[in-house]
């Protein structure tokens, strides 16, 4: 049986464990607990004075939905639902107080979302509670003074995006209706609900491919703003949920969980910071591999063409290519470079370098067989499954 625990994103689980063990996070939590003990927060008191409690008599459908979602996700606790006046679509679940859970919805969301869409939003918010996401006060820490270190900020935002994925999966488990899920995320992202705009899933997802293409042009994976975003870009969330719906959790004979998680990584890698600009040892090892890898892929069929030199210089700078590069030595040294990358870098990172090597393989339009052989060899040693390479190269076939 699919339980809320089984569908939690593995990265959410691992990163939250790591973050909760950090002294910085523990110190902030202690500070917040002290604050609470002194009676400062009083969420319920504040909700009662600023929002409208939707009792079972006032909103029977919504309360029923809440109970059904709680059954599915295994939450056993009294819940109170609130509405507050706002033109923005929003919902939130706050940390329970005196054994009671509070979920609030903006008035516009309640007015514009249909039953199934609301069920997804409800399940998403309950998911945050089920997975203990409130235990890491990410918003508080990112806004706090003095600011947290850049590396901790990156860890927090990266975790937060995976936490959203887990919550989305909880919502999807509650609705079992992918169309409703996609429509909700489209409404949340665009703010549009009118009949003038008709939601089209294919076009919405196309936006991701366009993102990938622009990224390929410069050889980087994302802009600086992306990495500090705590929520994954909406089309990415829809794509991630589409994969979830095709997994063993949601249908018989669906793809297994390992494949699902791997697919998720390749999507989320789009929002990870690029290693091309960073100065850490981890990033440096990736650039060393990229250097050798691009040259060996380019030279796979025995010579390096003008288009390939251009691709190389896009990564390493104008006039950086030289005829006297010692390709034999780079070849002999390749496994050492790969070992160093493996030592320092997580799977999504290693996938980034492979993605960039695929840019080189496509420098002349289509990757040829000897190039694919080199790519697959590097992929295997990086412990990245070969189908990731196929997937990256097939982007190109569609463009032809
Ligand atoms: Zn959320």
């Amino acid at each position: 049986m699919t339980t809320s625990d089984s569908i939690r994103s593995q990265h959410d689980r691992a990163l939250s464990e790591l973050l909760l063990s950090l002294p910085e996070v523990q110190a902030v939590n202690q500070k917040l607990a002290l604050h609470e003990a002194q009676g400062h927060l009083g969420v319920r008191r504040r909700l009662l004075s600023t929002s409208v409690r939707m009792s079972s008599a006032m909103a029977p459908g919504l309360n029923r939905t809440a109970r059904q979602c709680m059954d599915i996700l295994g939450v056993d606790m009294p819940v109170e639902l609130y509405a507050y006046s706002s033109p923005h679509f929003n919902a939130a679940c706050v940390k329970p107080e005196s054994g009671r859970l509070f979920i609030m919805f903006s008035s516009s969301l309640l007015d514009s979302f249909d039953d199934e869409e609301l069920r997804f939003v409800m399940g998403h918010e309950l998911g945050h509670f089920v997975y203990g996401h409130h235990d890491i006060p990410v918003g508080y820490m990112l806004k706090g003074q003095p600011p947290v270190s850049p590396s901790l900020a990156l860890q927090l935002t990266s975790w937060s995006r995976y936490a959203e994925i887990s919550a989305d999966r909880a919502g999807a488990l509650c609705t079992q209706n992918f169309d409703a899920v996609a429509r909700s995320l489209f409404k949340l992202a665009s703010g549009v609900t009118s009949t003038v705009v008709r939601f089209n899933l294919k076009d919405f997802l196309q936006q991701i491919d366009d993102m990938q293409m622009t990224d390929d042009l410069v050889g980087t994976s994302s802009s600086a703003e992306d990495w500090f975003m705590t929520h994954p870009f909406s089309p990415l969330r829809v794509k991630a949920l589409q994969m979830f719906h095709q997994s063993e959790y949601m249908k018989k004979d669906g793809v297994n969980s390992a494949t699902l998680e791997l697919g998720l990584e390749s999507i989320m890698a789009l929002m990870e910071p690029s290693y091309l600009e960073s100065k850490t040892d981890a990033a440096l090892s990736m650039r060393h591999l990229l250097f050798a890898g691009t040259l060996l892929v380019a030279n796979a069929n025995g010579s390096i063409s003008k288009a390939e030199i251009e691709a190389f210089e896009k990564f390493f700078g104008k006039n950086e290519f030289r005829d006297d590069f010692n390709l034999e030595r780079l070849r002999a040294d390749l496994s050492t470079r790969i070992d160093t990358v493996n030592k320092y870098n997580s799977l999504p990172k290693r996938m980034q370098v492979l993605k960039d090597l695929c840019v080189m393989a496509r420098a002349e339009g289509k990757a040829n067989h000897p190039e694919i052989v080199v790519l697959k060899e590097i992929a295997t040693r990086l412990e990245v499954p070969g189908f990731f390479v196929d997937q990256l190269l097939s982007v190109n076939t569609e463009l032809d």
Side-chain angles (χ1 to χ4, degrees), residues 124 128 164 231:
H124 175 103
H128 281 308
E164 289 305 319
H231 279 54

Side-chain angles (χ1 to χ4, degrees), residues 24 28 140-154 156:
E24 294 98 313
V28 171
Y140 187 88
M141 289 190 77
L142 289 175
K143 276 180 267 168
Q145 285 297 332
V148 298
S149 71
S151 69
L152 180 56
L154 282 175
L156 283 167

Side-chain angles (χ1 to χ4, degrees), residues 92-111:
C93 179
V94 289
K95 211 173 169 165
E97 241 172 61
S98 0
R100 231 179 311 202
L101 195 60
F102 309 102
I103 305 177
M104 45 195 156
F105 303 87
S106 70
S107 52
S108 57
L109 187 136
L110 288 173
D111 285 340

Side-chain angles (χ1 to χ4, degrees), residues 141-387:
M141 289 190 77
L142 289 175
K143 276 180 267 168
Q145 285 297 332
V148 298
S149 71
S151 69
L152 180 56
L154 282 175
Q155 275 178 315
L156 283 167
T157 48
S158 176
W159 163 72
S160 171
R161 291 193 297 264
Y162 280 104
E164 289 305 319
I165 295 290
S166 294
D168 278 350
R169 287 181 181 178
L173 187 65
C174 290
T175 48
Q176 306 272 330
N177 179 337
F178 178 64
D179 285 338
V181 164
R183 276 196 321 266
S184 317
L185 284 169
F186 173 74
K187 284 184 180 178
L188 285 165
S190 66
V192 174
T193 59
S194 83
T195 45
V196 180
V197 178
R198 209 148 35 95
F199 175 64
N200 181 304
L201 180 66
K202 199 170 146 273
D203 289 354
F204 192 47
L205 292 177
Q206 176 63 36
Q207 216 172 318
I208 299 178
D209 294 336
D210 291 349
M211 253 172 99
Q212 263 162 337
M213 271 168 50
T214 15
D215 287 347
D216 281 354
L217 292 179
V218 286
T220 57
S221 65
S222 59
S223 64
E225 298 88 73
D226 279 353
W227 343 324
F228 286 106
M229 268 165 56
T230 52
H231 279 54
F233 181 56
S234 289
L236 296 180
R237 288 171 70 181
V238 174
K239 182 83 190 166
L241 282 168
Q242 192 182 40
M243 291 183 339
F244 177 64
H245 269 267
Q246 286 154 3
S247 76
E248 61 184 4
Y249 296 123
M250 299 298 273
K251 71 175 202 192
K252 249 174 98 177
D253 306 324
V255 300
N256 64 29
S257 60
T259 311
L260 172 67
E261 293 298 312
L262 200 70
L264 177 64
E265 309 248 358
S266 70
I267 293 174
M268 300 298 269
L270 280 173
M271 295 192 72
E272 292 283 331
S274 166
Y275 61 94
L276 289 170
E277 292 104 41
S278 167
K279 291 187 175 59
T280 60
D281 285 347
L284 208 61
S285 72
M286 299 257 284
R287 283 203 295 273
H288 284 161
L289 175 60
L290 181 71
F291 181 84
T294 46
L295 291 170
L296 292 172
V297 168
N299 194 49
N301 54 0
S303 66
I304 298 179
S305 71
K306 228 180 120 201
E308 287 169 336
I309 293 175
E310 266 172 38
F312 177 88
E313 295 192 335
K314 244 191 243 168
F315 287 114
F316 295 100
K318 203 99 205 93
N319 303 320
E320 287 301 311
F321 180 82
R322 294 209 317 264
D323 288 326
D324 60 349
F325 280 140
N326 189 336
L327 294 173
E328 266 153 50
R329 234 186 57 208
L330 287 173
R331 172 89 228 170
D333 193 37
L334 186 65
S335 58
T336 319
R337 292 183 189 223
I338 293 176
D339 288 345
T340 317
V341 165
N342 286 344
K343 190 174 138 198
Y344 287 116
N345 294 280
S346 64
L347 188 63
K349 286 277 171 191
R350 304 199 303 267
M351 287 168 118
Q352 278 188 14
V353 79
L354 213 55
K355 178 172 165 275
D356 287 337
L357 289 176
C358 286
V359 172
M360 173 55 91
R362 294 199 312 255
E364 292 166 309
K366 220 173 184 133
N368 58 42
H369 183 68
E371 289 172 334
I372 296 172
V373 171
V374 177
L375 279 174
K376 291 258 168 112
E377 182 200 335
I378 296 175
T380 308
R381 295 214 205 157
L382 286 172
E383 288 163 39
V384 175
F387 73 76

